[in-house]
Amino acid sequence: MRIKWYCCAFLICCICIGVWARPVAAQEHAALMPRVLNAGDSLLIKELYLQGVQQKASGQLTAAERTFDKVIALQPDSHAAHFELARIHFEKEDYASAEESAVRATTLDPDNQWYWKVLLDVYKKTANFKKIAGVFGELIRLEPQEESNYYDKAYALYLDKQYDAALTAYDEIAGKFGKTEDLYIIRHQVYLARGDRRSATAELEALIATKPASSKGYVLLADLYTGADNAKKALALLDDAGKTFPDDPLILLAKSDASLAMGRQKQAYSLLQQAFSSDALDIDTKAGVLYTAAGNPKRSPGTEALTGLADLLVEVYPRETKAHAVRGDIYLQVGQPQNAREAYLKALDINRYIEGIWPQLLQTELQLGRYDDVATHGKEALSLFPNNTLLLFFTGHGFLGSKRYEEARSYFETALNSADENNVPLLTQLYSSLGDIYHALDMYAESDVAYEEAIAADSTNAYALNNYAYYLALRKENLQRAAEMSKKSNELEPDFASYEDTYAWVLFQQGNYEAALTWIKKAIGHSNTVSDTLLEHYGDILAQSGDIPEAVIQWKKARDAAKALGKDIDKLTKKINERQYVE
């Protein structure tokens, strides 16, 4: 578990949030008007220019583009027209043309900051950090007292991995505006990126010396020591810091991290409990610590500690929806879905209008096999958020689990219509689910189409490949394609019993009993609990291979298993009585 007061790259982002956050292409045009038209422009050019502005304002981008092209044809050095074209190209996501027009505008009028800012937007979109730094250099020339431009330039150099230049830029900031606590932290991060741990350490030592009223330097320096396998030195530093900052939750978090690095889980848990009990640490930071620890088992205080901290979070914030939702996430992460469900229900009891909690609840109930609850809660959630594709998807699975196929079909089809076409994983799952539904409804042609769409969206989706192959095998159709798909699913996810069973059944339908026997044995070997279906398939393959006595044994096992589940056993009984395979 890595616990830091700041992730310095994030801190630099926060410092640079000004110009980086808002494209000039989205800003009010009125602010640009005083600088765009020249007194010497002809009446025709002025009229065309204003016409283009009006067309663009009304959303007629193509018409506006043609109008500004006319302006440039009449007056090639119209920097205003080049600027407007740059904005239009930017909105149309034609960044190459936008760059060309913006460069032309800045060349014609290098003292107009808006021209540089639209060029900056283009370079941000194309992640051209080298040129971003150059643009900020121009903005510094035009606005020498605007501190954010200096930070943004330095950050761009950092992102471009020009670490020495970035350090020089931060030195310039320190000389002009003073060396703040943030600057020490940023410079230490740059040194780390450059691979200079010694200088990064020196920077934090200087921070501790010059800013003694802050604990940040101690926390970050301790993290450096812990990361360098010197947790003992980190603890000594933090113990010393604790004298100056008693009960500082950040110190406690850093000490828990160092303790974990030394294998002292109980001590780490105790420190985390103290930190979580502190009002000085906000709920978001506490949640972040939990998520980080849950996501890194190698550096975690353990399952009991994680759930204990999640429980403590709820004790400290009993009426905070977020606290209960985080508790649910942690319990789900450690494999306790029933406790997770209770936490999500409590969170929604406090505030049912938090959209993101509903999918978590539905997914957890699906995991628990509570299909009727999924359907009920799904409909409730959709009454609040009717166009949420995930809610539609999970609700559909609730009905599918209850074998209410027509209702499930309705939800899946609605989800497909509302799904983001760029969300390939979700689209693949939706098409696969529809393939299952259509098959259950004997709509075989529609099922095949749905599965073809799923595989077209993601040809490596083992679930879609397996199910499609199995349904084809059941119908004894297109068995060669079924064999190819089933084989691929097993290559993608080897040693998975369900996929091995499918391949065995496809081979069986092809009459390749020897290979089918090999694969059904693999499936049984990889099954935690051997199902009645697997046992029946095993018996069928044995029978067709000529081993009737062993086939009867497996059919009897399958019948017992099916009977315990309340399934129809007539066909199995017939196979046993007639001592032969029955279609």
Side-chain angles (χ1 to χ4, degrees), residues 432-446:
S432 298
S433 299
L434 281 169
D436 294 341
I437 289 292
Y438 292 145
H439 177 81
L441 293 171
D442 297 332
M443 300 169 62
Y444 301 136
E446 290 83 352

Side-chain angles (χ1 to χ4, degrees), residues 188-204:
H188 124 271
Q189 184 67 22
V190 177
Y191 280 125
L192 284 179
R194 196 175 72 171
D196 187 351
R197 185 175 290 271
R198 178 176 295 179
S199 295
T201 301
E203 202 70 32
L204 294 177

Side-chain angles (χ1 to χ4, degrees), residues 288-549:
V289 170
L290 279 171
Y291 286 134
T292 301
N296 186 3
K298 292 181 179 179
R299 296 295 297 276
S300 168
T303 297
E304 288 188 17
L306 284 173
T307 55
L309 291 171
D311 293 342
L312 180 57
L313 191 69
V314 168
E315 290 178 22
V316 176
Y317 307 99
R319 297 301 302 168
E320 282 277 357
T321 304
K322 179 181 291 186
H324 293 276
V326 170
R327 181 173 180 265
D329 291 345
I330 296 303
Y331 271 104
L332 192 62
Q333 181 77 16
V334 300
Q336 299 184 33
Q338 183 57 48
N339 289 331
R341 177 178 182 267
E342 292 171 3
Y344 292 137
L345 287 171
K346 179 61 177 178
L348 291 169
D349 183 55
I350 296 171
N351 187 348
R352 63 199 294 261
Y353 297 98
I354 306 298
E355 189 171 6
I357 300 175
W358 287 103
Q360 292 293 94
L361 171 64
L362 300 184
Q363 189 173 13
T364 302
E365 290 179 333
L366 280 173
Q367 186 176 335
L368 290 166
R370 302 180 67 115
Y371 302 121
D372 289 339
D373 287 332
V374 175
T376 299
H377 288 136
K379 289 193 290 186
E380 182 181 354
L382 287 165
S383 71
L384 302 172
F385 312 102
N387 297 315
N388 186 303
T389 306
L390 270 181
L391 293 177
L392 289 163
F393 175 73
F394 288 133
T395 305
H397 272 287
F399 286 108
L400 176 59
S402 299
K403 298 184 179 179
R404 296 159 67 179
Y405 299 127
E406 284 290 356
E407 290 168 286
R409 172 188 173 184
S410 174
Y411 282 98
F412 286 133
E413 288 178 343
T414 304
L416 184 62
N417 290 333
S418 66
D420 179 359
E421 62 182 15
N422 295 315
N423 190 339
V424 173
L426 180 57
L427 283 175
T428 305
Q429 290 188 59
L430 279 169
Y431 279 120
S432 298
S433 299
L434 281 169
D436 294 341
I437 289 292
Y438 292 145
H439 177 81
L441 293 171
D442 297 332
M443 300 169 62
Y444 301 136
E446 290 83 352
S447 177
D448 290 354
V449 169
Y451 271 114
E452 291 291 355
E453 290 287 350
I455 294 168
D458 180 7
S459 62
T460 63
N461 188 287
Y463 176 88
L465 291 164
N466 173 78
N467 281 25
Y468 190 16
Y470 188 64
Y471 293 147
L472 289 174
L474 288 178
R475 286 155 33 205
K476 299 182 182 179
E477 295 177 2
N478 205 350
L479 292 176
Q480 183 57 41
R481 173 137 166 79
E484 292 169 356
M485 291 190 295
S486 184
K487 181 180 180 183
K488 185 174 181 179
S489 71
N490 280 283
E491 290 170 349
L492 290 167
E493 294 188 26
D495 303 333
F496 189 47
S498 179
Y499 296 172
E500 291 169 334
D501 174 44
T502 294
Y503 195 31
W505 198 242
V506 173
L507 292 167
F508 174 81
Q509 298 292 9
Q510 288 182 313
N512 190 349
Y513 303 129
E514 183 178 354
L517 192 58
T518 298
W519 280 91
I520 198 69
K521 288 179 178 178
K522 286 184 179 182
I524 290 172
H526 291 136
S527 297
N528 294 325
T529 302
V530 182
S531 68
D532 59 291
T533 301
L534 258 179
L535 291 167
E536 183 174 6
H537 284 174
Y538 189 18
D540 294 344
I541 295 169
L542 286 166
Q544 295 301 83
S545 300
D547 191 349
I548 295 298

